[in-house]
Amino acid sequence: MTLSVPAGVIERYLEFLPFADGAPDLTIGEGGTPLVRAPVLEDRTGIREVWLKLEGCNPTGSFKDRGMVVAVAKALEADARALICASTGNTAAAAAAYGARAGVMTVCVVPHGSTAAGKLAQTRMFGARVVAVTGTFDHALTIVRQLAERDGVILVNSVNPHRLEGQKTAAFEIVDALGDAPDELYLPVGNAGNIAAYWRGFVGYREAGRATQTPVLRGFQAEGAAPMVLGHPIDDPVTQASAIRIGNPANWEEAAAACDASDGSIEAVPEAAMADAYRLLAQEMGVFVESASAAGVAGLLQRRAGGSASPERVVCVLTGSGLKDPDTALRESDDPIAAPPDLDAVTRVLGWSD
Ligand code: F0G
């Protein structure tokens, strides 16, 4: 009997990736994430098909794994001595995991006090060296860009072109599953790499004859951290969604060009709308995401409420797992009901006594 081993994104999409000399042997099983229908959102929006791409099902719980496996494979080709990144948490966890897998030291610089607990726990367990700076993500990125000028130190933020090459595989998977690109794609925007990567993927697939169309891109930033909506960088981005608390996105130009080419938009969503979408996904769809990941769904509901024209088929990208940020989940949900360990007491606190 032949065992069939799930391939990672490099093996599955090699012909579209920057490996002229064959597939490097690096994967932790990234990609191949579920695409599930969301009838609750179809009812609410009147859109015929709403699909959710569950990127939290990647090995470290976010979409970053797709880009990181390619970036780290390329770093190995370049004989890297160390990987370095700035991160609001998910990039750090992915870099640390693939660094561990590849046997390369990883350094992660994160904003102090605003990195979700699950992300820090992962990054630390994978053995990365973590530096917490008393500043924002944008400060951290400025610092790591300079440290990466040292010999053998590879920057694995999404300014590393190989990251976006890997991340574009999510677009391939969507087309492979649906038979064509959707009419619209909804997703959160932070450092603005992912939206650019999706565009590369959809355009690449159309050019290869695998899709007949490309989607309209709909990116969403949190209202208090929306430099691309305001049209200028901001020094002090504010949002509960720490993953996308970024004031000066590194991939601004490519993302803005992608959005324009798609006839799309980058819009702001209020905190309350993101929190509502975060709860709605969990409590009516059984999908537990981190709060930043709910921005696309919040944006979809906001646009429909505003009476925008109805597309027929849309995909919302849910970028990260809810387990990344247990503190927000515990704050946004009901406390357990305390009870002594006997049947009567538990029946009573449930309100099930006759
Ligand atoms: N959603 C999640 C869960 C993220 O972690 C990020 C970015 C985004 C969306 C936005 O994606 O930056 O490509 O526009 N997280 C980065 C990090 C900044 O350091 O983990 P983007």
Side-chain angles (χ1 to χ4, degrees), residues 63-64 86-92 119 137 167 188-195 243-244 246 290 292-293 319-320:
F63 69 97
K64 305 283 182 180
S87 181
T88 56
N90 282 326
T91 296
K119 302 175 189 182
F137 168 85
Q167 280 172 218
V189 172
N191 213 24
N194 208 28
I195 193 165
I244 53 172
I246 293 176
E290 64 169 283
S293 303
T319 46

Side-chain angles (χ1 to χ4, degrees), residues 45-68:
T45 60
I47 295 172
R48 195 188 67 200
E49 288 177 39
V50 179
W51 297 86
L52 307 175
K53 182 70 169 158
L54 306 189
E55 288 291 278
C57 295
N58 277 296
T60 75
S62 90
F63 69 97
K64 305 283 182 180
D65 295 342
R66 295 177 183 278
M68 201 56 75

Side-chain angles (χ1 to χ4, degrees), residues 175 179-183 202 205-215:
V175 174
D180 206 341
D183 299 324
F202 285 119
Y205 243 29
R206 188 191 55 197
E207 284 172 356
R210 307 259 188 120
T212 68
Q213 64 171 20
T214 49

